[in-house]
Amino acid sequence: MRSGGAAPGMAAGAMLKHRRTALERVEKFVSAAYFTDCNLRGRLYGASRPPAALSCFQSPLRVPYGEAVGRRFGPAAVGDSFGPAWETCWFKVELSIPPAWAGREVHFVWESDGEGMVWRDGQPVQGLTKEGEKTSYILTSCLKESEPHSVTLDVYELLVDLEILLDMARLLGEENQRSFQALYAANQMVNVCDVTDPATFPAARDLAATIFGQRNGESQHSIHAMGHCHIDSAWLWPYEETIRKCARSWVTVIRLMESNPELTFVCSQAQQFEWVRSWYPGLYAQIQDYVAKGRFVPVGGTWVEMDGNLPSGEAMVRQFLQGQRFFQEQFGRICSEFWLPDTFGYSAQLPQLMRGCGIGRFLTQKLSWNLVNAFPHHTFFWEGIDGSRVLTHFPPGDSYGMLGRVEEMLKTVKNNKDKGRVNHSAVLFGFGDGGGGPTQKMLDRMKRMRDTDGLPRVQMSTPDRLFSVLEKESSQLCTWVGELFLELHNGTYTTQAQIKKGNRECERILHDVEVLSALALAQDSSFQYPASQLQRLWRLLLLNQFHDVLPGSCIQLVVEDALQYYAEIRRAGARLQEEAVQSLCGDLLQPESGHAEGTLVLNTLPWERTEVISRTGPAGAEVLALVTAPSMGYAILREPLPPPQPVTVVKQEDGSVTMENGVIAVCLDAMGRLTSLRLAHSEREAVADGCCANQFALFDDVPLYWDAWDVMDYHLETRKPVTTLLKPLEITLAGGLRGSASFSLRVGKSSTLTQEIVLDATCPYIRFLTQVEWKESHKFLKVEFPVQVRSTNATYEIQFGHVQRPTHWNTSWDWARFEVWAHKWMDLSEHGFGVAVLNDSKYGASARGNVLSLSLLRAPKSPDATADITQHHFTYSVLPHRGSFQDAGVIQCAYNLNFPLHAVPASCAQCPAWSAFSVSSPAIVLETVKQAEDRPDAVVVRLYEAHGSTAVTWLRSSLPVTEAMLCDLLEQPLAKEPLALEQQGVRLSFTPFQVLSILLVLRQ
Ligand SMILES: [Zn+2]
């Protein structure tokens, strides 16, 4: 060590070359923990006074202001505690401000563990939370620039100066001379500052200003900072609380905007705007003003920030349709950026849906949570299954709740995997989830980084400004094709099975109500299409698709709300369907006296179906019948069809049961496992040699971090086949139109599973009607189908299409997908043969080697300790097939399983079968038929190419169509010229997975 003595004659105040002591000296000078008796921080607050009077009342209800002020307030004191959780306390606070404080900025300081809102003169004026130091409301700010600054404000500014300089000194590192320049300036400021004498402060501030005033060169990276406040529409709090969280946070943002003209704030989720509009109209009017000024910026275009995997294609379209229409109506423009910073993975169908809804830009950061692989881009083109591309940006700071600190700005540049290709990144700053968004301090930090040599340039910006410049610089960007799979939170495909079931079922209910109501409207223009009721029900469903509700990562209170919304959709949907059917075929529904009753069979799917249904027979009993129902139409069933070949069910001597229907043949052991599955008249076995399919397996399911969210790869090492038989397989229906057999198993310690295995005449798949009494803790139940098929890829249905994922674990990208999501079906095929597994309410799946698994139930304990502990009903199916899954009709079978035919008692009148729509190509699915949003005399039909092929089809309709126009997903016409209406219908051509919407104008 060198001796540290100063040379004689050296100037007083020359700094020693000891980096650590200099750094720590400055740290102590601004410390909130040490030396506050003599340091700068200790001078931050001036005089304070207790309230003149404080009173309160407490309520379990969220009472509005008007009601609250009328209540009786009892005495309260600072230091009292309140509770339990979810109670609301209203306080009346009387303050007296001493005359001596005149001219100063006076704060009302409120510290509590809860979130609060200050009301003044009947209006919400300030949100208060502990997070982000938002514990004060500025009562008066008499201070003007020209007036002498109060001591407190000078101290505050100096503290921010020193914080930035200290961060520069610490974080830029010893290889960077700016680190030393910042350190020496900070050290000198401490020398200059006499904390007891404010007259010394300006000289200290000048030292800082010199550093901040040294400019960058032209090439420096630009950071687009935007205020943000990510508010989960429900998560660890119920929907109702979110309404208040939005108000508290947004009023805080408005206050901050008033005093900071540069502040911009980006805000997503039409639902949250709608909540504030109806509950806080005064605040909403202020927000509208700032939206008009371009500072409060609506983004996202969707109703909520929904889950990116599980909603159906049509539900995703409705997220945008409801969202964009709301933004257009309320703010005069649609959003041009899709915004899902926190959602758990993104379907490969999204780029096309975004493009169809006026959006070509996408922002998220969630893939930075990947457990296994670092995503290789931050700015790139994302290409979907149909080839649509959108410009995508992941803020490289890996957060949507930054604090405006030096560290985050440096990380944003350092982390950015596309620097050099593009020179711009986003920083979203502000506390989320009730934390109140941006703060004054964040803004004051970033002001000092506007253009300071050594730091990236930080400017307040908007998504439009960021994406516009990225678009200009996009020539060197890379393209990522296919899904953006999040390598974490894979448990959310399965957690809270009742929510999953509610989602699938309600998507089906709204589909059916829309189809039948649209047909009723087309047949009788006096029919009142229930547009506003459907909008209300859709919005409930869309709200439940929020990224902590549909994934099941929410508390019990939220689950209860969600299940109630589903119950409401089921109830109202049943009534609306009845009204539509009544209007559509009212004449047929009146049983003529003396006649044997018939059955009206309605089919809401776009192909003819021949299926066994259950209907009310002449004596009132439920009887089975084989019926053929036309494509999107109805038929009267009088004499049921005889089955071409009856189902046979035979119990063998060893207790096994065989079933056959002329299409498929199965053999089941006493535990209900498939020991054989064949196509009838074929020797080709579908079950792998020596294995059993329909094998239940239980896994230990203890994740590392997030209980309801995560299932970890190591759970696969704990597999235990379920083999405890409670009731061996017994034949329950002897055959004919339907054969069935049932059995029961014990699962885990105390859960039971009962299954009825059903084979219907003519049906190419066998159904497993399953009931589980689920009482487990940290267990994962799956059902497995080891099949005699070899393929390195399995296929999974997604929104309006499908994706392939590997069945092997070659690379880290492959094994990170040990648990994936799918919609109604998954398939494993080799050339000429394959096996599909269909389901009516499940989303978790996997295919490893030759084993297809469907994920059935989990039992996480947090954040809902009661999650999934109840009775469950669900159905899945297995379907062996020749040829490809496309040619074998797997897609249609999965729809059939999910959209049962509707059977309604009717007269026995003669009535030819009636079909409203049909499509000539089996590759094309007509998914949606609904009334047009802005044209009561028109319907919109939506079709998609499902095989992954280029296809041409005729869309035939028996409706009185006078004009057909191609339109986008927001129902805006895409061409001036209408489509030609020809003898065979409308001719449509599709590229692989293309979605087309057509507006059909009806004759009145
Ligand atoms: Zn979130």
Side-chain angles (χ1 to χ4, degrees):
M1 251 198 159
R2 229 183 278 169
S3 136
M10 186 175 176
M15 192 184 171
L16 298 177
K17 284 198 166 179
H18 196 291
R19 189 176 157 88
R20 186 181 144 193
T21 56
L23 262 174
E24 292 196 13
R25 175 195 189 202
V26 181
E27 280 169 7
K28 295 299 182 299
F29 191 61
V30 299
S31 169
Y34 303 103
F35 299 107
T36 50
D37 60 321
C38 58
N39 76 2
L40 186 65
R41 175 90 49 188
R43 300 279 157 167
L44 182 56
Y45 296 111
S48 66
R49 293 213 118 190
L54 189 62
S55 56
C56 92
F57 78 88
Q58 190 171 324
S59 164
L61 302 176
R62 295 178 175 89
V63 291
Y65 176 82
E67 198 186 318
V69 288
R71 292 283 186 93
R72 218 175 58 79
F73 284 69
V78 175
D80 285 355
S81 47
F82 303 87
W86 307 120
E87 292 272 311
T88 299
C89 298
W90 283 84
F91 295 90
K92 222 176 250 176
V93 187
E94 285 172 42
L95 304 167
S96 78
I97 301 174
W101 293 5
R104 296 213 193 144
E105 187 169 287
V106 181
H107 291 231
F108 163 60
V109 177
W110 183 264
E111 288 175 6
S112 84
D113 285 335
E115 293 172 21
M117 173 77 99
V118 182
W119 292 76
R120 194 180 192 180
D121 304 326
Q123 285 300 320
V125 292
Q126 178 73 53
L128 300 172
T129 83
K130 222 158 70 168
E131 200 171 28
E133 304 150 32
K134 277 206 187 58
T135 50
S136 78
Y137 165 55
I138 300 175
L139 288 164
T140 73
S141 54
C142 296
L143 211 69
K144 303 268 159 35
E145 276 302 309
S146 56
E147 289 172 325
H149 276 187
S150 79
V151 172
T152 308
L153 277 187
D154 262 357
V155 170
Y156 166 80
E157 296 290 356
L158 266 174
L159 285 170
V160 180
D161 285 345
L162 284 163
E163 182 202 305
I164 301 292
L165 292 173
L166 257 179
D167 281 351
M168 287 175 71
R170 259 195 302 247
L171 300 166
L172 286 175
E174 294 191 42
E175 68 277 17
N176 190 325
Q177 68 167 357
R178 289 293 281 166
S179 161
F180 291 91
Q181 290 171 349
L183 177 62
Y184 296 163
N187 184 69
Q188 191 57 21
M189 286 168 72
V190 181
N191 289 338
V192 164
C193 242
D194 174 352
V195 298
T196 63
D197 179 9
T200 62
F201 295 173
R205 293 220 59 203
D206 286 348
L207 288 165
T210 304
I211 296 286
F212 299 140
Q214 289 164 338
R215 301 282 174 240
N216 276 299
E218 268 175 45
S219 66
Q220 185 58 279
H221 200 88
S222 267
I223 285 177
H224 294 247
M226 307 168 208
H228 191 45
C229 178
H230 177 79
I231 303 180
D232 285 329
S233 290
W235 177 31
L236 304 178
W237 51 87
Y239 290 127
E240 266 200 346
E241 193 55 46
T242 310
I243 301 173
R244 303 201 302 189
K245 278 182 186 288
C246 292
R248 288 190 287 258
S249 293
W250 296 357
V251 77
T252 302
V253 170
I254 295 293
R255 285 299 86 79
L256 210 55
M257 281 189 167
E258 287 166 351
S259 49
N260 294 274
E262 78 280 15
L263 172 62
T264 56
F265 180 76
V266 282
C267 191
S268 68
Q269 314 201 54
Q271 169 73 83
Q272 296 187 358
F273 282 94
E274 171 59 22
W275 277 332
V276 171
R277 189 183 74 84
S278 49
W279 290 90
Y280 301 87
L283 170 60
Y284 189 73
Q286 296 175 40
I287 290 171
Q288 278 180 310
D289 281 350
Y290 280 103
V291 172
K293 288 177 185 141
R295 296 181 54 199
F296 202 109
V297 186
V299 286
T302 49
W303 187 246
V304 295
E305 285 186 14
M306 74 280 199
D307 182 79
N309 300 327
L310 312 188
S312 69
E314 188 59 29
M316 281 192 168
V317 170
R318 300 310 174 92
Q319 287 284 356
F320 286 106
L321 185 76
Q322 289 295 326
Q324 292 286 46
R325 289 180 64 82
F326 179 89
F327 291 119
Q328 178 69 48
E329 191 185 293
Q330 293 293 314
F331 306 120
R333 65 170 200 82
I334 61 171
C335 302
S336 45
E337 297 84 19
F338 184 35
W339 194 269
L340 282 186
D342 192 30
T343 289
F344 315 151
Y346 308 90
S347 163
Q349 183 56 267
L350 276 165
Q352 180 177 200
L353 302 186
M354 288 159 63
R355 282 281 173 197
C357 297
I359 293 179
R361 303 155 165 185
F362 175 45
L363 183 141
T364 180
Q365 61 78 50
K366 198 68 181 185
L367 261 58
S368 67
W369 287 43
N370 270 4
L371 209 55
V372 183
N373 298 286
F375 195 80
H377 313 297
H378 284 101
T379 305
F380 60 102
F381 287 104
W382 178 26
E383 185 175 307
I385 49 170
D386 70 312
S388 296
R389 293 165 113 212
V390 292
L391 181 59
T392 301
H393 180 67
F394 296 175
D398 293 347
S399 167
Y400 48 79
M402 293 202 239
L403 307 175
R405 304 199 62 136
V406 171
E407 186 182 3
E408 298 160 345
M409 306 304 161
L410 295 177
K411 180 179 178 188
T412 293
V413 182
K414 187 168 179 221
N415 230 16
N416 191 324
K417 296 207 168 76
D418 295 287
K419 53 178 177 272
R421 297 168 190 270
V422 284
N423 218 8
H424 298 262
S425 300
V427 157
L428 308 176
F429 64 96
F431 292 101
D433 286 339
T439 66
Q440 186 64 49
K441 190 182 273 181
M442 296 175 193
L443 292 170
D444 292 333
R445 285 174 183 143
M446 288 185 286
K447 270 179 206 156
R448 288 155 172 83
M449 294 185 259
R450 214 171 271 158
D451 189 1
T452 292
D453 186 19
L455 298 178
R457 281 199 188 86
V458 182
Q459 62 193 68
M460 285 294 144
S461 186
T462 62
D464 184 54
R465 260 183 267 160
L466 169 69
F467 278 103
S468 296
V469 53
L470 291 177
E471 277 158 6
K472 279 201 202 88
E473 294 181 357
S474 63
S475 63
Q476 293 187 64
L477 291 178
C478 300
T479 297
W480 178 270
V481 179
E483 66 182 327
L484 295 173
F485 185 85
L486 178 63
E487 296 170 354
L488 198 71
H489 294 358
N490 325 39
T492 61
Y493 319 143
T494 305
T495 305
Q496 299 284 10
Q498 286 176 295
I499 289 184
K500 270 61 174 181
K501 188 179 166 80
N503 183 66
R504 182 76 65 80
E505 218 174 290
C506 290
E507 286 177 342
R508 189 253 301 159
I509 287 167
L510 295 182
H511 169 273
D512 284 1
V513 169
E514 285 187 338
V515 169
L516 295 168
S517 301
L519 301 192
L521 175 75
Q523 293 299 78
D524 174 4
S525 58
S526 72
F527 173 74
Q528 288 293 308
Y529 187 90
S532 63
Q533 294 166 75
L534 275 166
Q535 182 186 62
R536 183 178 70 87
L537 298 179
W538 264 114
R539 286 181 172 184
L540 289 179
L541 179 70
L542 299 179
L543 176 55
N544 275 352
Q545 290 177 343
F546 179 74
H547 66 253
D548 280 309
V549 181
L550 182 52
S553 48
C554 50
I555 57 170
Q556 191 185 357
L557 280 177
V558 178
V559 177
E560 285 165 6
D561 283 349
L563 296 182
Q564 248 181 47
Y565 291 177
Y566 291 132
E568 169 60 13
I569 297 169
R570 288 186 183 103
R571 205 165 36 233
R575 201 187 63 240
L576 293 177
Q577 181 175 317
E578 212 173 289
E579 286 168 13
V581 172
Q582 186 68 41
S583 170
L584 188 62
C585 13
D587 307 345
L588 302 168
L589 298 180
Q590 310 305 325
E592 294 155 44
S593 55
H595 283 76
E597 279 186 8
T599 301
L600 177 74
V601 181
L602 296 121
N603 175 17
T604 58
L605 294 179
W607 42 79
E608 185 184 273
R609 296 159 70 180
T610 298
E611 287 176 21
V612 175
I613 60 157
S614 167
R615 61 160 184 158
T616 313
E622 289 290 299
V623 292
L624 297 175
L626 184 67
V627 298
T628 294
S631 161
M632 276 201 180
Y634 58 81
I636 287 276
L637 166 68
R638 298 183 333 140
E639 292 303 315
L641 303 170
Q645 188 168 332
V647 182
T648 57
V649 186
V650 180
K651 183 150 191 177
Q652 309 293 336
E653 271 176 21
D654 61 358
S656 66
V657 171
T658 57
M659 291 196 218
E660 195 166 347
N661 67 355
V663 187
I664 58 172
V666 300
C667 183
L668 300 157
D669 73 6
M671 266 194 277
R673 299 179 302 188
L674 289 169
T675 52
S676 170
L677 170 66
R678 287 180 297 108
L679 292 160
H681 320 297
S682 160
E683 292 305 307
R684 175 67 167 86
E685 178 56 58
V687 177
D689 269 351
C691 296
C692 296
N694 196 39
Q695 169 73 58
F696 294 97
L698 200 62
F699 300 80
D700 294 344
D701 185 15
V702 187
L704 289 177
Y705 313 105
W706 302 82
D707 201 357
W709 289 257
D710 291 346
V711 56
M712 310 307 294
D713 48 6
Y714 54 74
H715 86 286
L716 294 169
E717 297 168 34
T718 65
R719 176 182 181 275
K720 288 178 192 68
V722 175
T723 52
T724 313
L725 196 54
L726 291 177
K727 196 170 113 344
L729 190 71
E730 287 293 342
I731 294 172
T732 40
L733 281 175
L737 284 174
R738 174 173 290 170
S740 74
S742 73
F743 66 96
S744 299
L745 298 173
R746 174 170 303 290
V747 179
K749 285 215 167 55
S750 46
S751 304
T752 55
L753 180 151
T754 301
Q755 194 168 64
E756 189 181 6
I757 303 176
V758 179
L759 184 62
D760 280 353
T762 74
C763 188
Y765 52 87
I766 187 161
R767 289 181 294 151
F768 301 88
L769 280 51
T770 315
Q771 180 185 325
V772 184
E773 287 284 348
W774 185 242
K775 299 174 185 171
E776 298 306 301
S777 176
H778 289 119
K779 298 286 176 196
F780 199 149
L781 179 67
K782 304 184 189 185
V783 65
E784 299 170 340
F785 292 86
V787 295
Q788 227 180 87
V789 175
R790 177 159 176 82
S791 172
T792 52
N793 280 297
T795 312
Y796 302 83
E797 190 193 33
I798 67 163
Q799 297 80 359
F800 299 142
H802 55 262
V803 293
Q804 291 202 320
R805 302 188 183 107
T807 56
H808 56 74
W809 292 354
N810 276 2
T811 70
S812 61
W813 292 88
D814 300 327
W815 64 256
R817 286 182 284 176
F818 58 87
E819 174 81 8
V820 297
W821 59 273
H823 285 184
K824 301 185 289 291
W825 58 267
M826 63 195 289
D827 182 87
L828 190 68
S829 288
E830 58 189 34
H831 179 69
F833 187 83
V835 178
V837 174
L838 325 176
N839 75 83
D840 75 344
S841 57
K842 297 297 169 193
Y843 295 92
S846 67
R848 188 173 176 215
N850 66 333
V851 181
L852 294 168
S853 316
L854 189 65
S855 300
L856 301 176
L857 292 169
R858 294 186 70 216
K861 299 298 164 196
S862 172
D864 174 8
T866 67
D868 281 318
I869 304 307
T870 184
Q871 194 178 79
H872 299 271
H873 295 266
F874 51 85
T875 297
Y876 56 86
S877 288
V878 63
L879 187 165
H881 60 83
R882 276 192 197 88
S884 68
F885 71 85
Q886 291 97 331
D887 293 339
V890 166
I891 296 166
Q892 283 77 6
C893 287
Y895 270 97
N896 292 347
L897 180 72
N898 278 268
F899 293 76
L901 293 168
H902 299 289
V904 186
S907 74
C908 215
Q910 284 285 2
C911 163
W914 180 76
S915 164
F917 288 103
S918 62
V919 180
S920 62
S921 164
I924 307 303
V925 176
L926 166 54
E927 169 85 20
T928 304
V929 183
K930 66 182 280 287
Q931 189 186 42
E933 294 291 320
D934 298 317
R935 287 198 66 167
D937 65 334
V939 295
V940 166
V941 297
R942 191 158 8 260
L943 309 95
Y944 70 94
E945 198 290 318
H947 287 178
S949 63
T950 298
V952 171
T953 194
W954 289 99
L955 170 65
R956 301 189 204 94
S957 178
S958 62
L959 303 184
V961 174
T962 60
E963 197 180 322
M965 304 273 286
L966 265 182
C967 60
D968 67 12
L969 297 175
L970 301 178
E971 307 185 3
Q972 301 302 310
L974 284 173
K976 282 210 175 68
E977 290 303 306
L979 296 161
L981 295 174
E982 298 181 46
Q983 191 73 44
Q984 304 101 303
V986 178
R987 186 175 185 276
L988 301 170
S989 30
F990 291 80
T991 53
F993 301 118
Q994 192 178 13
V995 179
L996 289 182
S997 306
I998 301 159
L999 187 94
L1000 300 173
V1001 180
L1002 303 169
R1003 193 183 314 119
Q1004 289 298 289

